[in-house]
Amino acid sequence: MVKNQIYLDDYKNYINQIEKKNNCLVILDPPYDEWKNVKKIKAETIIAFCSPQSRHFVEKIYGFPRTEIVWYFKDGRWVSNNLPRITHNYIYVYGKTNSAFVGCEQETKPQKKGFGAIGKDGKKELGKRTYYPKKNKQLNSVIEFPRNMRSYGSWSKPKDMFKQLINWINPPFVYDCFAGSGSVGVACYELNINYSGIEINDEIYNIAKKRLDNLTIQMRQENLIIEEEFKAW
């Protein structure tokens, strides 16, 4: 059974513990105006969420990312009558990644490939070619998910977005240093990945803990049903 825990505390008290953990993913998603106060954590992989205004603070701490993803959302926010609405944020990725074929499922019907790019000689050498699509689409450098998840507070981000990103890294353990409403924990639960979250705000922590506790109860109930079915069989 995976570990799924959340703590009411400051993530800075756990930095030494996090840095001793091998092959872990650290997710950093503070309130964007707090990036200037974030302390650096060393890990196999870092995913950092930031806004166009705060990305320079992230780069000052971690340097330029290995890759970046633009998170586009239609439900943008107003800044000024003289400026465009903000409809994107950045997701910076540092360190190790795995297969990027973690998008939505697609048709896997084999497709015949042409010879336009290899010429006549290549056609003779290679013969007929068939492409077999992956089960999932490849992750794009621009992803679209809604911004406001009002069910769990204005700071909450969509669970499915986290699930896609975590699945891409495929770590054995995830540390969520600004846990918020616990969406990362829910994603880890569904992916069967160990998770530890840290949240300093009492009110937000209680929302996250309730979500994760409900998952634990659900998991125990499912296990009991399986045990009863096994006994009956």
Side-chain angles (χ1 to χ4, degrees):
M1 186 173 70
V2 297
K3 296 178 181 178
N4 204 320
Q5 301 171 318
I6 187 165
Y7 304 95
L8 177 61
D9 208 338
D10 188 332
Y11 78 96
K12 293 175 184 176
N13 296 327
Y14 293 81
I15 290 178
N16 289 336
Q17 177 182 330
I18 293 171
E19 292 186 338
K20 290 178 182 177
K21 194 80 173 180
N22 294 325
N23 301 320
C24 72
L25 164 63
V26 172
I27 293 180
L28 299 174
D29 184 24
Y32 293 153
D33 59 355
E34 287 294 318
W35 259 114
K36 57 183 177 292
N37 300 317
V38 170
K39 191 171 182 180
K40 186 175 183 178
I41 301 174
K42 296 178 182 178
E44 184 84 9
T45 307
I46 302 281
I47 291 181
F49 287 79
C50 55
S51 65
Q53 294 81 11
S54 64
R55 61 177 177 163
H56 306 294
F57 293 107
V58 183
E59 292 167 3
K60 188 175 181 180
I61 298 169
Y62 284 103
F64 293 110
R66 178 185 178 191
T67 189
E68 68 179 48
I69 293 175
V70 175
W71 170 25
Y72 165 72
F73 37 82
K74 292 179 180 178
D75 50 335
R77 61 186 179 89
W78 177 90
V79 177
S80 165
N81 288 339
N82 298 321
L83 294 172
R85 290 169 64 250
I86 302 296
T87 57
H88 76 285
N89 281 327
Y90 293 103
I91 304 170
Y92 280 8
V93 180
Y94 298 87
K96 181 182 175 182
T97 60
N98 280 288
S99 171
F101 288 92
V102 295
C104 60
E105 292 189 3
Q106 62 180 344
E107 186 179 354
T108 55
K109 184 179 179 181
Q111 302 172 14
K112 293 181 179 180
K113 296 194 70 174
F115 299 95
I118 60 175
K120 293 181 180 179
D121 294 336
K123 181 177 180 179
K124 292 178 182 178
E125 184 177 339
L126 295 175
K128 294 182 179 180
R129 299 188 301 158
T130 304
Y131 170 66
Y132 295 89
K134 302 276 188 181
K135 180 181 178 182
N136 297 85
K137 291 183 178 180
Q138 190 168 12
L139 190 66
N140 290 324
S141 61
V142 177
I143 59 177
E144 181 179 349
F145 287 95
R147 181 176 69 93
N148 290 318
M149 306 299 291
R150 298 188 185 279
S151 299
Y152 300 108
S154 61
W155 291 103
S156 182
K157 291 182 173 63
K159 177 260 299 181
D160 287 340
M161 178 173 67
F162 284 124
K163 192 173 178 180
Q164 199 171 91
L165 294 170
I166 294 168
N167 201 20
W168 174 32
I169 308 303
N170 192 30
F173 206 103
V174 173
Y175 280 102
D176 185 13
C177 294
F178 302 87
S181 64
S183 295
V184 173
V186 177
C188 287
Y189 170 83
E190 294 184 3
L191 292 169
N192 199 35
I193 291 175
N194 293 302
Y195 165 84
S196 281
I198 307 160
E199 175 55 50
I200 198 170
N201 182 287
D202 291 35
E203 184 179 352
I204 299 174
Y205 163 81
N206 288 329
I207 294 173
K209 190 173 188 307
K210 184 177 180 181
R211 288 182 77 186
L212 298 179
D213 285 348
N214 287 340
L215 280 177
T216 301
I217 294 170
Q218 176 186 331
M219 179 172 59
R220 288 173 179 168
Q221 291 173 340
E222 289 172 354
N223 288 337
L224 285 173
I225 292 171
I226 292 171
E227 288 177 8
E228 291 299 323
E229 288 178 347
F230 180 76
K231 289 177 182 179
W233 183 79

